[in-house]
Amino acid sequence: MIFKGRAWVLLRQGKLIDDIDTDMIFHNKYLAITEIAEMGQYAFDNLEGYRDFAKKAQPGDIVITGQNFGSGSSRQHAVDCFAALKIICVAAQSFGAIYKRNAINSGFPILTIKDIDLAKVKSGDIVEMDSEAGTIKAGGQAIGKLKPLSTVQKDILKAGNVFEYAKTL
Amino acid sequence: MGKTLVEKILAAHADEDVVAGKIVWIGIDVRSARDFGGANVVKNFKKYYPGNKVEDPKKTFFTFDCNVPANTIPYANNQQICRNFAWEQGIKLYDVDAGIGSHVMIEEGLGYPGSTVVGTDSHLNIMGAVGAFGQGMGDQDIAFVFKTGKTWFEVPGSIVVNIKGDLPKTCSAKDLTLFITGKLGTKTALGKAIEFRGSAIDKLDLAGRITLASMATEMGAIIGLIVPNKEVLKHFGQKKAITPDRDAVYEKTIDLDISGLKPQIAKPPKPDAVVDVESLGGRPIHSVFIGSCTNGTYEDIVSVAKIMKGRKVKPGIVATLVPATMKVWKRLLKDGHISTLIESGFVVSNPGCGGCASGQIGMTGEGQVHISTSNRNFAGKQGAGDTYLASPETAAASAILGRIATLQEVE
């Protein structure tokens, strides 16, 4: 699959931010919300430097971030808030285990970055990520590599979500 | 090729070969949801399986522990959605009086050595304390398990954390846990199963095992497993523990020596920013919280009550305490510890998770310096204050002196 959109490169001191936990993505004070459409407005509202993310994000945007993204709680909201904003994928250097499952099962695309040249991409640039070829491009130029998707992630993405996938088994 | 502990537990629940890296389907013995996430589980279940029954109501549970009793109308609504669904489906529900779901499961023997347990609690891998496979999951995942009784799982690779030396008398299981968390950080064990080993681990009682296993989440691990000792097996009426094969394959073994260990504390805003308590130079504090799935057991709270006997919380310090479960609460009451704690100046609340997931107890305001026995001190999680993570003993000593202190400074 190819994901092409405007990038949000989440940086702190020139490096991709590591360990963004679920309380930074979607704070526990909003946990009682059950409507996905209401979740988008709170995305990253506890992430220093990106508290205005939900206001500025546009449908089709891509989030690029560091290691252990989504560590912490099991809240599905931390995945669903991006789906609500119509973010097309989150690409991180690694993901927290529960976050990874939640994204895969709900059919929200997450990609794992193997390497990326941060000198060649900044927030607002159009990036193109190809999960099959494993490439990351910006301005037509290769700027990094992705790790391959697992079979189960591919199958669930194809089916739509884990519920639809289970019907195919 | 031999199997690691996690491979053995999962293999006993699969119809196929289980080996690290493989995606396998696993039967789930205990399927649970709590008041946070639970309403969304119900919503997903009704959306994708309208008119259906859960696969096995006897293996399915609700455990309310986040916001108990509900102090917001949305939480009250969500709890009622779960109650209605539980009644319709004949599912047992541990309501707002019961306490922390994972602790109730261990107390009641719902999860037991060798079992597989899932729920909407990200610290459900605490079941590693009894040599069970526990896993926190999101609400879609759990709705799927409610219906099918199984889920897919990518079998994690395993690492061994081998503890050398004995735990010094001045330290408790939390100090050991924080020390390991500080050494591993969040990436060494990311996505892996840890097997904790060594004579200091073997000697840990069930309460200490719960403390250690509870923070596998903060180590980034899928789970931290401990082979049950006789005490743990007896609690569940079992005779023999599942052990890893001698020729099992591990990604790495990490040796950590604890013989000279001093009381440990994690500085805000990261659970792995761990240092010696004494290195902080007695920073003045405003508040103390004792409880959570990491340190809310009977043993943890008795340890605090013994310290507080004949002593007082320093005037001006807010000290709160939340026992993990109602069973623990009743036992503390019967044994006189509740009155000791209240006389000493603690606010003792009903059982549950406290402030960890937007509950009532243990929140902080801007500028507040707080010591908590819980497991996370991420920026803004429990409010704008600076949260330090420490043992119940360090928290109690700090409440008495009004500054970050070890128990040795009080005695």
Side-chain angles (χ1 to χ4, degrees):
Chain A
M1 291 174 80
I2 293 173
F3 302 91
K4 189 176 178 181
R6 197 179 66 135
W8 283 85
V9 186
L10 305 187
L11 294 175
R12 193 160 292 155
Q13 287 152 3
K15 287 176 66 186
L16 291 173
I17 307 174
D18 289 344
D19 300 317
I20 295 178
D21 84 288
T22 52
D23 273 309
M24 297 173 196
I25 301 171
F26 192 94
H27 196 268
N28 62 60
K29 63 184 172 232
Y30 311 121
L31 285 184
I33 295 173
T34 59
E35 287 300 328
I36 292 180
E38 289 171 25
M39 294 176 190
Q41 58 187 315
Y42 303 117
F44 286 144
D45 94 334
N46 185 39
L47 180 64
E48 197 60 54
Y50 295 91
R51 294 182 196 276
D52 55 357
F53 173 83
K55 282 202 185 81
K56 294 185 176 166
Q58 292 168 12
D61 286 357
I62 290 174
V63 173
I64 298 174
T65 179
Q67 295 186 62
N68 197 23
F69 182 78
S71 59
S73 136
S74 62
R75 68 196 67 160
Q76 190 88 36
H77 309 64
V79 173
D80 291 345
C81 64
F82 296 119
L85 291 172
K86 301 196 163 54
I87 302 297
I88 54 171
C89 73
V90 173
Q93 289 171 313
S94 60
F95 291 91
I98 305 175
Y99 193 90
K100 189 171 158 185
R101 282 190 72 89
N102 285 345
I104 291 174
N105 280 334
S106 64
F108 181 77
I110 55 167
L111 305 172
T112 308
I113 297 169
K114 201 167 161 191
D115 57 65
I116 186 164
D117 185 350
L118 292 175
K120 291 181 180 157
V121 63
K122 58 181 190 311
S123 283
D125 290 353
I126 302 295
V127 293
E128 187 177 319
M129 303 206 178
D130 184 332
S131 61
E132 285 302 308
T135 54
I136 308 174
K137 287 181 188 166
Q141 196 186 2
I143 63 156
K145 290 197 176 77
L146 296 168
K147 289 186 183 166
L149 302 183
S150 65
T151 330
V152 73
Q153 185 180 5
K154 275 191 221 170
D155 291 346
I156 293 176
L157 271 176
K158 203 171 149 194
N161 58 37
V162 69
F163 303 101
E164 298 301 325
Y165 167 62
K167 291 181 192 165
T168 69
L169 297 175
Chain B
M1 197 173 73
K3 297 219 175 298
T4 64
L5 193 46
V6 73
E7 287 171 341
K8 270 199 164 174
I9 296 169
L10 295 180
H13 293 80
D15 297 327
E16 54 194 311
D17 186 36
V18 169
V19 56
K22 196 177 163 194
I23 286 160
V24 294
W25 285 87
I26 302 295
I28 304 297
D29 298 320
V30 181
R31 309 119 191 208
S32 68
R34 61 211 298 222
D35 47 342
F36 142 61
N40 292 52
V41 171
V42 172
K43 198 170 169 179
N44 279 308
F45 190 94
K46 291 192 165 175
K47 179 177 171 188
Y48 293 102
Y49 306 112
N52 280 229
K53 290 280 178 194
V54 298
E55 196 266 342
D56 188 346
K58 288 200 168 52
K59 292 180 176 177
T60 311
F61 304 92
F62 283 97
T63 58
F64 291 175
D65 51 16
C66 287
N67 195 291
V68 288
N71 72 338
T72 68
I73 291 166
Y75 256 109
N77 283 330
N78 287 352
Q79 289 174 355
Q80 197 55 29
I81 287 169
C82 297
R83 286 188 194 104
N84 290 339
F85 184 77
W87 290 328
E88 278 163 34
Q89 297 270 344
I91 295 169
K92 184 161 173 68
L93 184 143
Y94 292 89
D95 215 310
V96 295
D97 56 330
I100 303 175
S102 59
H103 283 240
V104 170
M105 288 180 200
I106 292 172
E107 266 176 7
E108 302 282 313
L110 304 178
Y112 45 87
S115 64
T116 53
V117 181
V118 301
T120 56
D121 174 1
S122 61
H123 285 100
L124 207 49
N125 50 9
I126 205 168
M127 301 306 292
V130 302
F133 182 77
Q135 201 61 197
M137 292 181 175
D139 49 66
Q140 297 203 354
D141 232 339
I142 297 299
F144 182 80
V145 178
F146 270 25
K147 177 64 180 74
T148 63
K150 60 184 182 178
T151 191
W152 63 271
F153 214 85
E154 185 178 344
V155 183
S158 292
I159 63 176
V160 174
V161 173
N162 195 25
I163 303 299
K164 301 199 159 178
D166 281 324
L167 191 61
K169 288 208 162 49
T170 50
C171 290
S172 68
K174 183 61 169 290
D175 298 306
L176 169 65
T177 304
L178 288 171
F179 175 70
I180 297 172
T181 309
K183 289 293 173 200
L184 295 187
T186 57
K187 286 150 203 142
T188 311
L190 186 64
K192 309 291 175 201
I194 302 172
E195 289 182 21
F196 293 112
R197 294 187 191 168
S199 64
I201 302 292
D202 295 338
K203 285 178 202 158
L204 286 178
D205 62 7
L206 179 55
R209 288 165 187 246
I210 287 173
T211 300
L212 175 56
S214 77
M215 285 192 71
T217 309
E218 283 60 48
M219 300 171 197
I222 294 281
I223 192 162
L225 289 159
I226 306 168
V227 173
N229 62 4
K230 277 187 188 153
E231 178 210 349
V232 175
L233 290 172
K234 197 180 157 202
H235 173 84
F236 293 98
Q238 289 191 0
K239 290 220 162 55
K240 200 166 174 291
I242 301 173
T243 54
D245 291 331
R246 281 173 194 277
D247 57 342
V249 178
Y250 293 90
E251 293 184 7
K252 68 173 95 161
T253 296
I254 296 164
D255 291 320
L256 295 174
D257 191 344
I258 58 162
S259 24
L261 191 70
K262 292 175 174 173
Q264 303 286 289
I265 191 164
K267 297 188 293 180
K270 290 196 172 191
D272 60 331
V274 176
V275 295
D276 291 348
V277 174
E278 62 183 32
S279 75
L280 294 177
R283 184 179 183 192
I285 59 159
H286 303 104
S287 56
V288 167
F289 167 81
I290 290 165
S292 87
C293 60
T294 296
N295 278 122
T297 61
Y298 178 81
E299 288 78 0
D300 288 324
I301 293 167
V302 168
S303 175
V304 172
K306 284 184 175 163
I307 295 165
M308 297 314 295
K309 185 112 189 157
R311 296 191 177 100
K312 296 274 186 205
V313 171
K314 188 172 180 178
I317 304 294
V318 176
T320 53
L321 186 144
V322 182
T325 69
M326 187 55 91
K327 268 196 181 167
V328 168
W329 219 106
K330 285 180 178 169
R331 202 171 150 203
L332 291 166
L333 183 68
K334 186 166 157 274
D335 295 349
H337 299 302
I338 296 286
S339 85
T340 303
L341 290 163
I342 289 174
E343 287 303 329
S344 76
F346 268 89
V347 177
V348 180
S349 176
N350 58 307
C353 295
C356 283
S358 66
Q360 293 92 316
I361 309 292
M363 315 297 269
T364 61
E366 203 166 343
Q368 190 170 341
V369 181
H370 182 67
I371 297 192
S372 168
T373 65
S374 75
N375 39 56
R376 289 180 186 149
N377 55 352
F378 301 132
K381 177 173 169 62
Q382 282 118 339
D386 274 0
T387 299
Y388 290 83
L389 305 176
S391 70
E393 295 76 19
T394 298
S398 304
I400 294 164
L401 296 174
R403 59 178 175 82
I404 296 174
T406 62
L407 180 56
Q408 289 70 55
E409 295 176 66
V410 171
E411 284 176 335

